[in-house]
Every structure is written in structure tokens, then in C-alpha cells.
Amino acid sequence: MMSTDDLIVVTGAGGFIGGHLVADLRRSRHRRIRAVDVKPIEEWFQIDRDADNRQLDLRGIDACREAADGAREIYNLASDMGGMGFIETHKAECMISVLINTHMLIAARDARAERYFYSSSACVYAADKQTRTDVTPLKEPDAYPAMPEDGYGWEKLFSERMCRHFREDFHLATRVGRYHNVYGPHGTYEGGREKAPAAMCRKVIAAQQSGATEIEIWGDGQQTRSFMYIDDCLVGTRRLMASEVVEPLNIGSAELVTINQLLEIVEEIAGVTFARRYNLDAPKGVRGRSSDNTLIKQKIGWEPSTRLRVGMEATYRWIFDQMTRNRPWLASSSRP
């Protein structure tokens, strides 16, 4: 039985999901949390000053041993990743993240950790099952025969197998969640690593600020996706970690929208409309992707439920405040 005094390690804690997970564990009254990230601590998206915060490069085994020392549970969320604009142009950098999971598994085994969560991705799914906008929702077996996203998806699929074999050979209780497009406040919204929901909010806010009349859309806008709000991600992650489910599970929303519809939601929140300029040469990923939640409902009796409109409003408000924080005249004149 897990105690609130047992040490929990969260890697990637300076990032979007990791920062929210540390905060969520703290709300659950866990007293001993070791938060680890490669970024300088002052650059973390969220900082819990009461956690054992450490700046470590987990591509190295010694750093992983330091991170895992004394841990009962480890949530490994650390990887070099971003939105489609990043993973399509940084394939080698994404692949190098395989060192993080490999070394963290070794460190977890040697530290005698009891449970280990690995954050995988819907990018592991076979590309030939994602060629239509009216995509059939992806079931967990659809990852094989293997044809994942080049670079990032291959790293995630290989790391899933590593988790499986450490469970089989060394009896480390590994859990694997395949995240589908997580979004929400306290995430990246500029700089090239942002995902579509945050990018769309930023583009609308920036257009309002500059007086622009159109928004650039990557692709033709008909690509389909499902997007999962961060609160649902946290619930799914912790429920899976506490469960006896050993196979990878989708953790994603089943609410499918086009990229055009995503923009329409942001425009509705902001109370504006813009012309569209479609950039067909920009990175755009697969044609369609959505989560089949049959297995997660069967195994843990739950699935993500936050409607996209609700999650996007909270995300938009947060990004708006960040972008107008030092421009009060813009905030007062354009906040919806």
C-alpha cells in the first residue's frame, strides 16, 4: 500500500505534464516528491518549492541513478519532444530520448522501485491506419505491424518494449500510457515546440494584438485530431499507475475535430473571426487520429471526459494572460 511518505520521482517535472503531475501529487498530500528535469530549475513551467527539485540530464546513467535513489514509484515523463513542427524536423534528437528511458529503467530496477510509469504517445500507431480524416479510432493493437511516426514514434514504441521486457525479466511493475495530444494551461505556446491547441490560441491572440485579418493554418485544415485536457491526463495517468494493467493503454479523448474546427472554437472564445491562409508545405502529420477508449473503460472504468470547448477556454485565458502580462493596454482592450 502506497504511503504519502513514500518517495515518488517525477522526471520531466520542469515540463508541461510533469509540472502538473507534481502539483497533483502534492494536492493528494504526498510529502516526498523528487522532481527532475534537464532545464535549469528557474526555467521550469511550474515549481513546487517543497519538492526535492534537481537539475539532471537523464540521458546519462549516473544522473538516472541519482534520480531513482530511494524511490518507490517513478513517473518517467522526460523526453525531447514538441508539436509536429518539432518532431518532423528533429528526428535524431527525439530518438536520443531512448537513452532516458533505458537508463531510468536500469536505475529503477537497481533502486528496487516498485512501480514505473512510462509516458508513451499516439505517435506509435501505424501510419497506414491514419490516412483518412474520418479515421477509425485507434485501438491499442493498431501499433503493430509497426509503422510509427518516424523518429519520435519509433523511440516511443521501442521504449514501450523495454518496459515490457523489464517487467518480464526483472519483475519491475511497468505501466505504459499512450497520450493523445495533451493540452492546457502552463504549457509551451511559442518557440516551435508548441502543439496545435496552444499554437492556435497564440495565433489568434497575436492577430488581435497586431490587427491582422487572417490566420495561417498548417495543411488544409481538414486534418482531424482528438485533444485531451491536462486534468484528464493526470487522472488517467495515476489510475493506470495504481492499476494491475500491464499492457499499454490509450489515454486520450474520443472527441474528434478538424483543425478548422479547433480554430473556430478559439475564435468563439475570443469573440473574433479571421480569414484562413492554408500553408500546404508546413508540417501537418497524419491525416486523422483519434483514441479508441474501449480498453481503458474496460480495464479501469474511466475515460477522459473534459469537452474540448471547456478545456480550450481555460487554455486560451492562460495564454492570453501570459502574452499580455506586460501590455495592460492590450489586455484591457482585447480580453474577451
Side-chain angles (χ1 to χ4, degrees):
M1 183 88 175
M2 187 73 178
S3 164
T4 55
D5 289 320
D6 290 324
L7 177 62
I8 299 176
V9 172
V10 178
T11 73
F16 168 49
I17 301 174
H20 277 283
L21 180 58
V22 170
D24 191 57
L25 290 166
R26 184 67 72 196
R27 286 191 294 270
S28 299
R29 302 188 182 280
H30 286 283
R31 299 183 182 90
R32 299 182 63 211
I33 302 170
R34 180 174 298 144
V36 180
D37 203 281
V38 69
K39 296 188 293 292
I41 293 172
E42 62 272 14
E43 296 179 10
W44 291 13
F45 292 178
Q46 299 184 67
I47 304 172
D48 184 331
R49 297 296 180 185
D50 293 325
D52 176 8
N53 299 312
R54 303 191 187 187
Q55 181 187 359
L56 297 171
D57 185 346
L58 298 177
R59 291 171 292 189
I61 186 65
D62 291 340
C64 290
R65 293 192 190 283
E66 179 181 337
D69 184 40
R72 185 165 181 183
E73 291 189 350
I74 297 171
Y75 291 86
N76 182 20
L77 309 181
S79 69
D80 197 356
M81 59 85 67
M84 193 53 59
F86 180 82
I87 66 175
E88 283 201 0
T89 55
H90 296 77
K91 294 183 176 69
E93 292 175 50
C94 290
M95 288 292 288
I96 290 171
S97 293
V98 74
L99 296 174
I100 299 173
N101 190 57
T102 302
H103 289 147
M104 280 303 303
L105 281 167
I106 294 170
R109 178 200 63 186
D110 294 349
R112 299 186 181 277
E114 293 184 10
R115 296 212 169 201
Y116 181 98
F117 178 89
Y118 177 66
S119 59
S120 187
S121 166
C123 289
V124 302
Y125 285 112
D128 64 356
K129 296 183 182 294
Q130 304 172 78
T131 58
R132 298 166 56 94
T133 57
D134 58 340
V135 63
T136 299
L138 295 161
K139 294 181 171 67
E140 285 80 359
D142 290 335
Y144 296 94
M147 195 191 302
E149 186 83 36
D150 204 12
Y152 179 71
W154 276 108
E155 184 275 321
K156 288 296 185 184
L157 193 61
F158 177 83
S159 292
E160 285 190 8
R161 302 292 287 195
M162 286 286 289
C163 288
R164 170 183 165 179
H165 297 314
F166 267 69
R167 173 176 54 82
E168 294 170 337
D169 293 357
F170 304 119
H171 309 293
L172 173 61
T174 57
R175 303 291 182 262
V176 175
R178 290 176 180 163
Y179 292 160
H180 286 245
N181 292 315
V182 188
Y183 73 98
H186 297 283
T188 300
Y189 60 89
E190 60 184 351
R193 292 179 182 259
E194 65 276 14
K195 295 186 178 181
M200 209 64 78
C201 291
R202 186 203 72 239
K203 288 179 180 182
V204 167
I205 296 165
Q208 288 179 285
Q209 292 178 346
S210 68
T213 59
E214 65 178 14
I215 296 288
E216 182 186 65
I217 302 292
W218 287 7
D220 63 5
Q222 297 303 314
Q223 317 93 283
T224 52
R225 295 290 187 275
S226 63
F227 299 99
M228 175 175 57
Y229 191 56
I230 182 61
D231 290 0
D232 286 331
C233 178
L234 299 175
V235 172
T237 296
R238 295 189 59 189
R239 287 196 180 199
L240 176 54
M241 181 65 138
S243 77
E244 297 308 312
V245 181
V246 297
E247 65 263 43
L249 280 187
N250 282 334
I251 304 180
S253 171
E255 183 183 356
L256 188 70
V257 296
T258 67
I259 298 301
N260 279 334
Q261 288 171 329
L262 178 64
L263 175 56
E264 289 168 6
I265 289 172
V266 179
E267 288 176 325
E268 180 186 343
I269 292 167
V272 294
T273 56
F274 294 98
R276 278 79 162 135
R277 183 176 75 257
Y278 296 102
N279 183 351
L280 303 182
D281 296 323
K284 44 192 172 288
V286 296
R287 192 64 175 153
R289 176 183 291 156
S290 184
S291 178
D292 185 303
N293 290 340
T294 302
L295 192 59
I296 194 171
K297 287 188 288 185
Q298 289 176 351
K299 295 291 186 179
I300 64 176
W302 173 90
E303 68 172 322
S305 60
T306 303
R307 300 296 298 176
L308 183 59
R309 175 63 171 76
V310 173
M312 285 301 294
E313 178 148 12
T315 304
Y316 180 91
R317 305 291 182 192
W318 183 83
I319 294 174
F320 183 93
D321 288 345
Q322 303 308 300
M323 293 180 66
T324 59
R325 185 166 43 191
N326 298 318
R327 300 178 177 182
W329 63 93
L330 287 172
S332 60
S333 62
S334 59
R335 185 180 178 95

